[in-house]
Amino acid sequence: MQAQILFVAPLSELADLAATVINEKFPDKKNLFHVVRADLQEAEALVKKAADDGIEVIVSRGGTASFIENRVDLPMVYIQVTITDILQALLNAGEYPENIAIAGFGNMIYGCDELGKILHINFTEVLLNDSDDAQPKIAEAVAAGVEFVVGDAISVKMAAKYGIKSAFIQSGKESIYRALQTAVLIASIRREEQRKTEQLRAVVDESHDGIIAADQNGLVTILNPVAEKIFNISHFDGKGKVFEKIFPELSEFCSGEKDNLIKIREKQYAVRKAIISVRGSDQGYIYNLQNISEVQKLERSIRKKLSAKGLVAKYNIDDIIGQSKACLNMKRKAAKYALTQSTILITGESGTGKEMLVQSIHNLSVRAKGPFVAVNCAALPENLLESELFGYAEGAFTGARRGGRQGMFELAHGGTLFLDEIGEMQLPLQSRLLRVLQEREVMPLGGEVVIPIDVRIIAATNKNLAAMIADGNFRSDLYYRLNILRIHMPSLKDRKEDIDLLARQFLVSMRDKNPQITDITRDAVVYLEKCEWPGNIRQFGNMMERILLLTTGSTITISDVRDACEDDSRMGEESIENREACKNLMELEDELLQKTLREEGFNYTKTAKRLGIHRTTLWRRLKKYDMQH
């Protein structure tokens, strides 16, 4: 342990006595103390070196203590002279006259007049302010009739010079012990304050934000490295200066606001101002500056990491494309149900966009800032799904990860858990899920501790759960727990009027597939509306991707759609109504091609350009309609 307390003894006897007190009273803290013998000439250099070596407190007495205190910026603990010490000095002197001078610095002779009244002795106090006072003041006391001097080392030395007797006041063990006790307390407080100061400095200096503080007089007290870079000023040039002069943009822009946005050197910063108040009295203020770009970058990074773990819902209600009555009704229910905490059951055919709707509900709810966890109940076997949902304790089964693993319910705490394809869950696991929904707590596999959870459940299925209950494949009590709020996803055949909007949305979202395509003709949309879509939006999206890849012009036409659909056996199964509509559309396209070709004098290049298609596409269609000339 590094020494924290320096004991400076002007006399060898005092140094020895201090060492004795330390051994007797501080046996477990001896390393805290360093005792040296030094007079006034040696003391200055000695204590300055000690301050650099980590000394927190200095202990000394008399003139040596006063001398050191004026030259070193460290706490000084004086060894106080007690009445006992003065009586001991008189006792050691044997006989002494009535006219006695008590000489020394203020810390030595304070209260001696009371001692004179007790002993009926005429005490004269000779107060020394510094070592140069000793000779003239002792001479003056002798001239006034003083016959005996009791005092410190320098006073005794001057008394001998003037030929009168003297007695040196020794500091006793009790005085030294009290001084050392005080020094230990001060050193401990200083170390703790230094620890807190260094901790705060580390927090401020390592912060990614710019931090500037000023005291009650408006002078800058803190300017961290980030703030230095923001304002291109060093803390040497900023600290101690008037805040308003160094940072006028902050003092003016944020004078009446707690939070604000400010532009500094072409960069946007979010600024927060806080008042430093001590017991109701304002002691200054502090500014925190965040680079908006860095905040956005950090948020993107966090979202990316959460997204990799499946803990973020990326879709909002506006991402669901559709203006049909069925679609609007579905979104209206979702928005209302999002405001509640109740369990929701989503039903509908495969490919209708159930997960997109669930994510939208999560982002509309009060749990939007919480995790979003999705589990596909059909993707995992029963035993693995159980451990995924509820987690497991260490050693729960062969191959269990050391330390165990959190389940999806725990990961979703404070957020939403989406159970997709709930109809595929096996009966034994349905029973355990029911208990979790009832008790709102889980116990990991192999665990002994019940863990409370705060999770909103949204389940989805493309199966008829009522029929499954009748067949004994789904628990009725679980069904009623899940079927509190219900939303049915309309199939694409029930919202054919949304196909135009969906097609154009896919043109935008899949632009990278074929950047030259900018539009789709009305007859192509009509053709798509007439088609059957058993795979719903998922199938429709796949078909649009195929169409984009096969189209050679800048606009998707009915011919492009037919080319993409002809290899799909399901798409070939058109209804009689659709086949009739397609026949009419083919006739219209045939007439348009013939008319344009005649008007352009059978110039294929000009005709293709006018129709907005490639020349090769024109040739293919002419061949298809047997129109070559």
Side-chain angles (χ1 to χ4, degrees), residues 88 120 196 232 284 298 316 325 392 441 470 490 516 540 560:
Q88 187 63 50
H120 302 291
K196 291 180 179 179
N232 194 26
L298 179 61
N316 293 299
K325 183 178 179 181
Y392 55 81
E441 57 187 24
Q516 69 175 353
F540 182 74
D560 297 319

Side-chain angles (χ1 to χ4, degrees), residues 546-591:
R546 188 189 304 177
I547 293 169
L548 284 166
L549 290 171
L550 292 176
T551 299
T552 56
S554 61
T555 301
I556 297 173
T557 66
I558 186 172
S559 180
D560 297 319
V561 175
R562 283 206 191 96
D563 285 347
C565 293
E566 64 185 3
D567 294 329
D568 194 318
S569 59
R570 294 298 301 274
M571 295 304 296
E573 296 174 5
E574 301 176 24
S575 63
I576 295 175
E577 179 186 358
N578 194 36
R579 284 198 297 269
E580 188 63 32
C582 290
K583 181 180 178 182
N584 294 335
L585 287 170
M586 288 176 66
E587 292 174 354
L588 288 173
E589 185 176 6
D590 184 9
E591 291 176 5

Side-chain angles (χ1 to χ4, degrees), residues 593-610:
L593 284 173
Q594 292 186 52
K595 180 176 181 294
T596 308
L597 195 59
R598 285 195 301 270
E599 290 175 354
E600 295 296 336
F602 295 96
N603 186 312
Y604 299 127
T605 301
K606 291 182 178 180
T607 301
K609 184 176 181 181
R610 181 173 168 183

Side-chain angles (χ1 to χ4, degrees), residues 24 94 100 151 228 269 275 362 369 396 433 438 608:
E24 292 176 353
I100 299 175
E228 289 180 305
Y269 292 89
I275 303 297
H362 172 80
K369 293 184 179 180
L433 174 61
Q438 290 173 335

Side-chain angles (χ1 to χ4, degrees), residues 82-88 90 102 110-123 125 150:
T82 65
I83 292 177
T84 303
D85 295 333
I86 297 174
L87 289 175
Q88 187 63 50
L90 292 173
I102 304 294
Y110 180 74
C112 290
D113 54 341
E114 296 179 0
L115 179 61
K117 295 176 184 177
I118 296 172
L119 299 177
H120 302 291
I121 297 175
N122 183 22
F123 277 125
E125 291 186 1
V150 179

Side-chain angles (χ1 to χ4, degrees), residues 332-523:
R332 179 183 59 82
K333 286 184 179 180
K336 286 190 174 183
Y337 291 169
L339 303 178
T340 73
Q341 297 291 324
S342 301
T343 302
I344 302 175
L345 179 63
I346 311 289
T347 60
E349 297 176 7
S350 179
T352 51
K354 292 188 286 294
E355 181 164 355
M356 179 179 281
L357 183 68
V358 173
Q359 292 190 24
S360 302
I361 292 172
H362 172 80
N363 282 330
L364 282 171
S365 73
V366 294
R367 297 175 178 267
K369 293 184 179 180
F372 175 82
V373 180
V375 182
N376 190 322
C377 300
L380 299 170
E382 181 184 355
N383 58 341
L384 188 54
L385 179 59
E386 185 176 19
S387 65
E388 285 292 308
L389 284 174
F390 308 114
Y392 55 81
E394 183 174 349
F397 50 83
T398 302
R401 189 169 62 180
R402 180 176 296 179
R405 180 178 178 180
Q406 280 187 314
M408 296 300 185
F409 274 99
E410 286 185 73
L411 287 175
H413 181 75
T416 302
L417 178 62
F418 173 41
L419 299 175
D420 195 11
E421 298 192 53
I422 189 72
E424 301 293 339
M425 185 178 287
Q426 299 299 309
L427 285 170
L429 199 51
Q430 290 180 29
S431 177
R432 189 165 183 195
L433 174 61
L434 175 64
R435 180 169 180 81
V436 173
L437 293 178
Q438 290 173 335
E439 305 298 331
R440 294 291 167 176
E441 57 187 24
V442 295
M443 180 182 289
L445 293 176
E448 299 178 351
V449 179
V450 173
I451 302 171
I453 55 166
D454 173 23
V455 176
R456 193 218 190 131
I457 304 295
I458 302 180
T461 183
N462 59 4
K463 293 183 176 294
N464 186 334
L465 295 185
M468 291 181 68
I469 293 172
D471 294 338
N473 295 323
F474 202 85
R475 294 180 62 107
S476 59
D477 45 6
L478 176 59
Y479 174 73
Y480 296 127
R481 277 284 176 181
L482 296 173
N483 193 31
I484 297 175
L485 301 177
R486 185 165 181 167
I487 301 175
H488 181 71
M489 299 289 294
S491 61
L492 196 53
K493 66 182 179 181
D494 296 327
R495 43 181 296 207
K496 289 285 185 78
E497 56 265 55
D498 290 331
I499 284 180
D500 190 2
L501 291 174
L502 288 168
R504 297 183 187 283
Q505 176 60 29
F506 282 126
L507 283 184
V508 175
S509 62
M510 297 181 180
R511 186 175 296 278
D512 59 317
K513 306 296 181 184
N514 194 341
Q516 69 175 353
I517 297 177
T518 58
D519 200 2
I520 182 171
T521 63
R522 178 58 194 161
D523 55 348

Side-chain angles (χ1 to χ4, degrees), residues 21-22 24-30 33 177 180-181 184:
V21 172
I22 290 169
E24 292 176 353
K25 296 293 186 178
F26 304 95
D28 299 331
K29 299 179 180 178
K30 289 190 289 186
F33 304 95
Y177 174 58
L180 293 178
Q181 268 190 319
V184 168

Side-chain angles (χ1 to χ4, degrees), residues 262-282:
I262 185 172
K263 193 172 186 179
I264 303 171
R265 300 173 67 194
E266 302 305 316
K267 291 184 179 180
Q268 288 284 346
Y269 292 89
V271 183
R272 167 163 288 195
K273 178 182 180 181
I275 303 297
I276 302 171
S277 181
V278 180
R279 295 185 179 181
S281 175
D282 292 349

